[in-house]
């Protein structure tokens, strides 16, 4: 899944934000340009000199394979998508060019930020089941058909890697049939598999060779299990995720996986930092601001995190809002055996920081505070957030009953847990600074603290920008208002905000205590009261947010390194992929 934590909060609330400004049925040129301007064009460059010669050669093959994934995912979204792309690519008028540009951002003719409203005349409403089910077939009919299948057939029909097509064979027992991806997208998957095998021959890394070979096999066999396991074991400077993964595009059932690819170079400096943090997690737990009885004397192993820089993203991994972190695989069978892995795209986070957080800070911070905005602290706090999800109460006792915070706090849990990770992350970094553990990687003392808390203050506006409908934003509003009430965030006469450094550390500690105790006691009533009181947008925040409306929502990636490593060659564009419908 896409990581919903801090990492991508730039953008997950955009639907509610844009719902307030309904777009006209089909936008004209000016409107279309305005819509596209919400994505700030950003060049992504990655230093590939850290790779071996073999890996650099493999990288070119992998980028080519990812471009094939783009074609497959276009076909998955809508039957008419590939043909429409060809038509739009030929357009020469300014409007035609603007349509092609925005089509490519959205990977289709529907505007993702505008509740999937169409922006090209003559296209149908976005099909809820994308191109995974026969067009115009109702959910009820499909459900009924699935219910009557034999159990193993039903599993296939509801599986990640099949589409449902119309069976036109003479005398077929049903009008519908199950078609595996390996058949539906056979010709393109063969191309991609050949490129993965070529890359496997070029790299010297054993774990990468293994993953690429098994994934190439999976494209042909439609069995992804072994290659998912190999992906979990991947330990390579050239880092690859390629295949069918996310099910968000299947809004009918959420069964079908869209193809995507992320071709990355591992960031070894950040990976070392993570490893170092990992060594200190138990000692942070032992010092959490709650009484010892609530602390965990032996925290469990946390799921692995890899920090990478993205060279190229394709398919579902490069449409609309840019993914800044993802957690895969989604297949429960693999998760049970191997767990899951989180991949964080550092350069994408950096691009969003520059394009969105820096402009936000110019509006919400005092001029003096703006120079303390710092990407290293921003990113390290995200890492700390991810790691500290694993700290604090996880198994609790309520009235003699063994349970857990999620069970007790129910629908309120996510907001509390996200706030807990934010605040415990800050607590952890402060603890490490106080114990001289960050002297080399981040620095310590007054200057470092100024950067940490100022960056945190600015980034809270990035989260609050789209309202408090989402659990993450509710958690953020709770933090913000608590710190305001404690005088740790101060409102300036001109409407900007600043940190009071004499108060922030104590306030963070107290807030962490409150959040951890809500989880430790599983107190639903108190949590409900706290959220009702604090998870609101107060007028002072709203007037700051009003000034942010014209800032970009997200970035549009321009893959400079990818285009130089593997220059785009003109090839015959395919018009259609489907065989089953
Ligand atoms: Zn989180």
């Amino acid at each position: 899944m896409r990581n919903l934590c801090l990492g991508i909060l730039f953008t997950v609330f955009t639907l509610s934000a844009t719902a307030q400004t309904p777009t006209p049925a089909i936008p004209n040129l000016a409107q279309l340009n305005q819509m596209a301007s919400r994505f700030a064009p950003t060049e992504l460059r990655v230093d590939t000199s850290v790779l071996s010669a073999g890996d650099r050669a493999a990288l070119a093959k992998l980028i080519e394979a990812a471009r094939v994934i783009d074609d497959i995912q276009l076909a998955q979204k809508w039957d008419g998508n590939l043909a429409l792309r060809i038509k739009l690519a030929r357009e020469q008028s300014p409007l035609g060019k603007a349509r092609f540009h925005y089509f490519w951002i959205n990977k289709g003719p529907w505007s993702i930020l505008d509740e999937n409203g169409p922006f090209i005349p003559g296209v149908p409403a976005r099909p809820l089941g994308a191109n995974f089910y026969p067009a115009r077939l109702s959910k009820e009919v499909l459900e009924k058909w699935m219910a009557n299948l034999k159990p193993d057939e039903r599993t296939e029909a509801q599986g990640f890697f099949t589409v449902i097509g119309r069976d036109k064979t003479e005398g077929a027992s049903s009008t519908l049939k199950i078609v595996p991806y390996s058949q539906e997208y056979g010709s393109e998957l063969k191309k991609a598999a050949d490129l993965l095998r070529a890359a496997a021959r070029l790299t010297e890394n054993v774990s990468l060779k293994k993953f690429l070979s098994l994934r190439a096999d999976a494209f042909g066999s439609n069995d992804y299990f072994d290659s998912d396991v190999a992906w979990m074991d991947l330990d390579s400077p050239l880092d690859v995720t390629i295949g069918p993964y996310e099910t968000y595009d299947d809004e009918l059932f959420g069964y079908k996986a869209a193809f995507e690819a992320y071709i990355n170079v591992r960031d070894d400096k950040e990976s070392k930092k993570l490893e170092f943090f990992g060594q200190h997690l138990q000692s942070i737990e032992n010092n959490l601001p709650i009484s010892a009885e609530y602390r965990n004397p032996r925290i469990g192993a946390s799921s692995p995190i890899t920090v990478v820089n993205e060279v190229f993203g394709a398919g579902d991994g490069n449409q609309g809002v840019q993914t800044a972190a993802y957690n895969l695989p989604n297949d429960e069978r693999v998760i049970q055996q191997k767990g899951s892995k989180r991949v964080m795209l550092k350069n994408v986070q950096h691009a969003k920081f520059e394009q969105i957080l820096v402009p936000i800070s110019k509006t919400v911070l005092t001029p003096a505070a703006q120079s303390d905005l710092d990407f290293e602290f921003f990113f390290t706090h995200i890492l700390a957030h991810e790691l500290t999800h694993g700290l604090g109460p996880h198994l609790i006792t309520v009235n003699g009953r063994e349970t857990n915070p999620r069970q007790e706090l129910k629908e309120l849990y996510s907001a509390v847990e996200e706030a807990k990770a934010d605040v415990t992350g800050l607590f952890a970094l402060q603890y490490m600074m106080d114990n001289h553990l960050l002297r080399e990687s981040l620095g310590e003392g007054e200057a470092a603290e100024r950067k940490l808390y100022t960056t945190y203050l600015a980034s809270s506006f990035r989260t609050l920008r789209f309202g408090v409908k989402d659990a993450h934003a509710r958690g953020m509003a709770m933090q913000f208002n608590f710190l305001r009430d404690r005088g740790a965030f101060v409102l300036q006469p001109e409407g900007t905000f600043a940190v009071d450094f004499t108060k922030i550390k104590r306030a963070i500690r107290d807030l962490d205590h409150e959040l951890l105790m809500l989880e430790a006691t599983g107190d639903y009533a108190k949590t409900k009261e706290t959220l009702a009181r604090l998870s609101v947008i107060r007028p002072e925040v709203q007037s700051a947010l009003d000034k942010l409306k014209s800032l970009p929502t997200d970035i549009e990636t321009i893959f400079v390194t990818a285009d130089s490593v593997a220059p785009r060659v003109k090839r015959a564009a395919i018009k259609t992929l489907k065989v089953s419908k």
Side-chain angles (χ1 to χ4, degrees), residues 192-212:
D194 288 347
L195 288 161
L196 295 192
R197 290 199 182 94
R201 285 191 293 274
L202 289 163
T203 179
E204 302 87 3
N205 185 284
V206 177
S207 69
L208 182 59
K209 262 185 203 297
K210 186 173 179 188
F211 167 67
L212 294 175

Side-chain angles (χ1 to χ4, degrees), residues 49 98 116 168 184 196 316 321 414 445 480 504 533:
S49 68
N116 281 310
K168 289 166 188 157
E184 179 78 352
L196 295 192
D316 198 53
V321 162
S414 298
F480 190 94
I504 186 80
R533 184 164 40 87

Side-chain angles (χ1 to χ4, degrees), residues 250-552:
D250 175 5
E251 287 184 36
L252 204 56
F253 290 103
Y255 294 150
K256 306 302 174 193
F259 276 87
E260 64 182 356
Y262 299 95
I263 312 300
N264 311 314
V265 173
R266 188 170 65 192
D267 190 315
D268 283 328
K269 187 184 123 215
E270 293 299 329
S271 302
K272 281 206 187 77
K273 199 196 271 176
L274 268 170
E275 199 183 300
F276 181 74
F277 283 5
Q279 291 160 10
H280 294 281
L281 282 179
Q282 184 68 56
S283 116
I284 295 164
E285 172 82 20
N286 297 345
N287 286 280
L288 286 179
I290 43 175
S291 66
E293 63 188 291
Y294 298 120
R295 296 179 191 144
N296 186 352
R298 272 188 56 192
I299 55 169
S302 48
S303 59
I305 301 178
T306 311
V307 180
V308 301
N309 292 299
E310 184 187 31
V311 180
F312 191 67
D316 198 53
N318 181 28
Q319 66 170 0
V321 162
Q322 286 295 312
T323 307
Y326 54 93
N327 206 43
L328 290 174
N330 291 325
D331 188 339
E332 279 302 327
R333 295 173 311 147
V334 186
I335 294 172
Q336 276 182 11
Q337 187 178 322
K338 293 290 288 188
S340 64
K341 180 168 75 178
R342 180 159 298 166
V343 180
M344 306 184 65
L345 307 172
K346 189 184 181 194
N347 61 338
V348 175
Q349 306 259 15
H350 188 241
K352 295 190 186 211
F353 177 90
E354 291 293 334
Q355 298 282 13
I356 303 161
L357 196 52
V358 170
I360 285 178
S361 79
K362 289 184 176 151
T363 303
V364 303
L365 297 184
T366 60
Q370 281 162 34
S371 58
D372 286 324
L373 193 71
D374 188 289
F375 176 70
E376 288 305 318
F377 282 84
F378 172 79
F379 190 72
T380 308
H381 182 222
I382 293 175
L383 295 183
H385 170 111
E386 298 296 349
L387 289 171
T388 53
H389 269 308
L391 300 189
H394 282 88
L395 289 171
I396 60 174
T397 309
V398 176
N399 301 329
R401 188 167 46 86
E402 291 221 330
T403 178
N404 60 61
R406 182 189 294 277
Q407 198 102 44
E408 298 305 308
L409 301 183
K410 303 186 194 71
E411 82 284 0
L412 311 175
Y413 171 73
S414 298
V416 174
E417 175 60 22
E418 289 310 322
K420 178 211 95 175
D422 278 350
V423 178
T424 309
L426 287 172
F427 174 85
L429 292 176
Q430 186 64 55
Y431 171 85
M432 291 180 84
M433 288 200 273
D434 290 345
N435 287 281
H436 312 296
L437 296 168
L438 299 181
R439 194 180 289 163
E440 277 151 44
S441 58
L442 272 187
E444 58 186 43
E446 233 175 80
E449 287 170 13
R450 268 208 323 273
K451 287 180 187 169
L452 176 64
Y453 295 111
T454 305
T455 304
Y456 165 67
L457 167 61
S459 95
S460 68
F461 281 91
R462 166 193 66 126
T463 309
L464 295 173
R465 208 175 146 200
F466 303 111
V468 286
K469 286 182 188 159
D470 181 276
H472 301 79
R474 287 213 306 278
M476 192 71 246
M478 176 163 55
Q479 296 167 54
F480 190 94
N481 291 326
F482 182 98
L483 296 170
R484 270 290 286 138
D485 294 344
R486 292 292 297 268
F489 285 169
V490 188
L491 178 65
Q492 307 293 308
E494 73 281 17
T496 59
F497 291 84
V499 178
D500 183 337
F501 293 98
T502 66
K503 293 182 177 159
I504 186 80
K505 282 192 260 181
R506 183 61 201 259
I508 287 291
R509 197 186 164 83
D510 291 348
L511 175 55
D512 205 22
H513 173 82
E514 298 267 326
L515 291 165
L516 290 166
M517 286 311 291
L518 291 178
E519 293 197 342
T521 56
D523 191 335
Y524 181 88
K526 188 169 181 203
T527 304
K528 186 140 191 141
E529 181 278 318
T530 308
L531 281 167
R533 184 164 40 87
L534 293 175
S535 286
V536 292
I537 301 284
R538 294 176 179 167
E540 60 189 35
V541 172
Q542 189 58 54
S543 41
L545 294 175
D546 288 343
K547 296 177 202 151
L548 304 176
K549 281 198 173 129
S550 61
L551 296 184

